Amino acid sequence: MRRLLLAIIVLAVIGAGAFWWITEPRPAYPRDQWAALEEGGDAERGRIVFDAGGCASCHTTPGQNDRLKLGGGLQLKSPFGSFFVPNISPDANDGIGKWKVVDLANAMLSGVSPEGAHYYPAFPYTSFHRVKLDDVRDLMAFLRTLPPISGKARPHDLAFPFNIRRTLGVWKFLFFHRGDLAPDPSKSPEWNRGRYLVEGLGHCAECHSPRNFMGAIIESQRFAGGPDLEGKGNVPNITSGKGGIANWSKKDIVELLTTGLKPDFDTIGSTMGEVVKNTADLPQSDREAIAEYVKSLPPRDSAARRSATGQ
Amino acid sequence: MIRSFLVAGLLTLGIGTVLAQNLDVIKERKQTMKSAGDATGDPVKMIKGELPFDLPKVQASLQTYVAVAKKMPTLFPDDSKTGDDTAALPKIWENKDDVIARYAKLGTDATAALTTIKDEASLKATFPNILKNCGGCHETYRASKS
């Protein structure tokens, strides 16, 4: 009897240890190396990173039109509860004014905060981990030029157990695998740039893919669209599969990303309207690169869609 | 007896009003918005240089916008919130004043453009601003659709 009890205790300790090990936040770069990462950084190039990453779409203070006021506060609804987008303006107390490049790198590339806690994947580090360190550095240089905004967003409002950040370690263990996007030499530089923008900075798949019950992208349906997590309707399939955009030319995609006009001259709406404000500011070559890559996505048929106003 | 018929009739009528969605108006709404989209084609092609500048055609498009802006606010009765896969979001009925004001602005902008657009240069300068009215509403009041 005593031996059984001992075995149970030993197993429990091993289990807790394993849980602790799995859920341990692992930043991409040690913070004590921060000085080396600070060097360089170009705010002008960082502006392109900012637009390609669509930072403004979530982080802009709601209810006003200046896309460079990044006071946060926007509510993002999800099946797990509501997220409130943080302030990433350079305010020293309420924003990220005290952040070093290493902090932004760890946030974007590994989903870990300067305090060493996990971020929720509502912040799309699941795509951003493919971003080059140089781009992170340029982005930080650009963010530091923006006006500081005071005021913190309210804390996330999530159901148990999602409100315990440590459990995100399990989610990351299952669904988040860091890795570079090695260029494919058999493809054109334009295609490779497009892939980097779509799969990395642009994080297009985060909205344009269905998710499983744990909120992770279903890889076999990547880019095939799915229900709009934030509300009603469906996010479109952007592959050439059934229900997708096979009949769109590369030019059509560039046009959408520039003016928001679809091939039938309907103006894009919903959250993509915000995205177009970002892509409209990109260099034309980047919009063309995005279109080139999107046209090459493997065809996947749309998943079951729901009615536009249905839940 | 007559009274109970009357009550039954009223009840049926009442229930009927709650359930029956005004599918005709939803259809008309879609057609009206589609006409605005169709009117956008020519001027945009002229801006891109795919069509030669043609003032009467531009003005015809602007007249369509004016007509659409006038008609649309009447096409959101309370019994047209759902049905026929409408992409109109419930927010429209919560912010009716804003929706009406936005259509009014589209009407004003399009009317003004009837005189300000005279050539290719003024078309390029003015038309994209009119289109911003479309996107502004679609972002807030229309569900994403695939």
Side-chain angles (χ1 to χ4, degrees):
Chain A
M1 188 59 203
R2 191 181 291 174
R3 196 174 291 176
L4 183 68
L5 201 65
L6 197 71
I8 288 171
I9 291 170
V10 166
L11 280 175
V13 167
I14 291 172
F19 177 82
W20 206 247
W21 183 81
I22 284 173
T23 60
E24 172 84 31
R26 290 180 179 78
Y29 296 93
R31 280 201 91 207
D32 52 21
Q33 286 177 17
W34 69 270
L37 270 66
E38 282 303 304
E39 280 159 41
D42 180 308
E44 215 165 297
R45 282 199 310 258
R47 167 92 208 214
I48 296 175
V49 177
F50 178 78
D51 284 326
C55 314
S57 297
C58 281
H59 287 283
T60 301
T61 310
Q64 53 94 40
N65 288 325
D66 189 344
R67 297 174 57 247
L68 301 181
K69 284 189 178 154
L70 305 177
L74 180 75
Q75 181 179 15
L76 290 179
K77 288 179 194 159
S78 84
F80 311 103
S82 278
F83 297 99
F84 292 89
V85 179
N87 182 336
I88 58 162
S89 79
D91 189 276
N93 298 313
D94 299 335
I96 61 168
K98 288 180 183 152
W99 281 31
K100 303 291 182 199
V101 170
V102 71
D103 296 319
L104 187 60
N106 286 337
M108 290 177 68
L109 309 182
S110 46
V112 178
S113 75
E115 296 77 32
H118 292 299
Y119 283 126
Y120 290 97
F123 173 54
Y125 52 83
T126 37
S127 290
F128 287 163
H129 72 93
R130 304 186 179 102
V131 172
K132 295 174 199 151
L133 183 60
D134 282 343
D135 279 352
V136 176
R137 208 180 265 131
D138 291 342
L139 176 61
M140 195 69 201
F142 175 71
L143 291 176
R144 283 172 177 159
T145 68
L146 301 180
I149 311 286
S150 58
K152 273 187 162 50
R154 49 176 289 197
H156 301 321
D157 183 11
L158 302 168
F160 180 83
F162 311 112
N163 56 349
I164 299 169
R165 282 183 187 262
R166 186 90 195 188
T167 59
L168 281 166
V170 177
W171 192 92
K172 281 181 166 176
F173 180 75
L174 293 172
F175 303 116
F176 177 57
H177 308 289
R178 287 192 56 213
D180 277 347
L181 211 53
D184 182 344
S186 72
K187 299 276 181 23
S188 69
E190 185 184 47
W191 182 92
N192 275 293
R193 172 71 179 163
R195 182 172 68 145
Y196 176 68
L197 290 172
V198 169
E199 303 279 3
L201 275 173
H203 62 279
C204 309
E206 303 288 340
C207 285
H208 284 284
S209 312
R211 290 174 181 270
N212 65 17
F213 75 102
M214 285 182 82
I217 287 175
I218 302 166
E219 285 301 329
S220 62
Q221 294 253 274
R222 198 172 173 85
F223 296 111
D228 186 344
L229 283 187
E230 275 183 71
K232 309 192 160 180
N234 297 271
V235 179
N237 179 345
I238 55 167
T239 76
S240 55
K242 218 168 110 194
I245 57 169
N247 56 346
W248 287 43
S249 68
K250 183 177 165 185
K251 240 177 98 189
D252 289 335
I253 300 173
V254 174
E255 179 68 29
L256 178 89
L257 298 173
T258 315
T259 62
L261 283 171
K262 300 191 211 166
D264 64 352
F265 298 105
D266 174 13
T267 306
I268 196 87
S270 192
T271 37
M272 191 64 193
E274 278 298 322
V275 175
V276 169
K277 286 179 192 163
N278 306 318
T279 55
D281 280 350
L282 286 177
Q284 173 75 2
S285 57
D286 276 348
R287 286 190 292 267
E288 284 168 357
I290 292 172
E292 174 77 11
Y293 179 71
V294 167
K295 283 301 286 177
S296 80
L297 290 173
R300 285 168 181 154
D301 296 347
S302 293
R305 64 189 295 278
R306 63 181 175 188
S307 76
T309 43
Q311 286 296 329
Chain B
M1 190 63 197
I2 289 175
R3 196 176 295 175
S4 52
F5 263 123
L6 204 66
V7 169
L10 280 176
L11 274 177
T12 324
L13 200 71
I15 292 165
T17 335
V18 172
L19 291 181
Q21 284 299 314
N22 200 334
L23 295 180
D24 287 344
V25 81
I26 294 174
K27 202 171 153 199
E28 198 177 352
R29 209 155 66 199
K30 286 183 179 179
Q31 280 166 354
T32 310
M33 290 314 280
K34 179 85 170 61
S35 73
D38 292 344
T40 309
D42 282 348
V44 167
K45 283 181 197 157
M46 290 176 207
I47 290 173
K48 287 199 279 184
E50 290 168 11
L51 278 180
F53 178 76
D54 183 336
L55 188 59
K57 272 191 183 171
V58 173
Q59 294 195 328
S61 292
L62 292 170
Q63 295 286 10
T64 304
Y65 288 167
V66 173
V68 166
K70 206 173 153 195
K71 191 175 182 188
M72 282 305 289
T74 67
L75 299 180
F76 295 99
D78 284 343
D79 59 357
S80 66
K81 292 182 186 175
T82 54
D84 197 19
D85 206 16
T86 178
L89 290 174
K91 263 190 187 171
I92 292 174
W93 287 269
E94 293 157 18
N95 303 283
K96 208 71 176 285
D97 290 347
D98 180 50
V99 173
I100 291 170
R102 282 168 184 263
Y103 278 118
K105 185 173 175 295
L106 171 66
T108 316
D109 288 359
T111 308
L114 279 168
T115 45
T116 50
I117 296 180
K118 299 183 200 77
D119 47 26
E120 207 180 312
S122 48
L123 173 74
K124 281 183 180 167
T126 309
F127 205 78
N129 288 327
I130 300 176
L131 288 184
K132 278 185 188 160
N133 289 305
C134 312
C137 254
H138 291 175
E139 254 176 52
T140 318
Y141 295 114
R142 187 173 68 173
S144 41
K145 273 187 110 170
S146 57

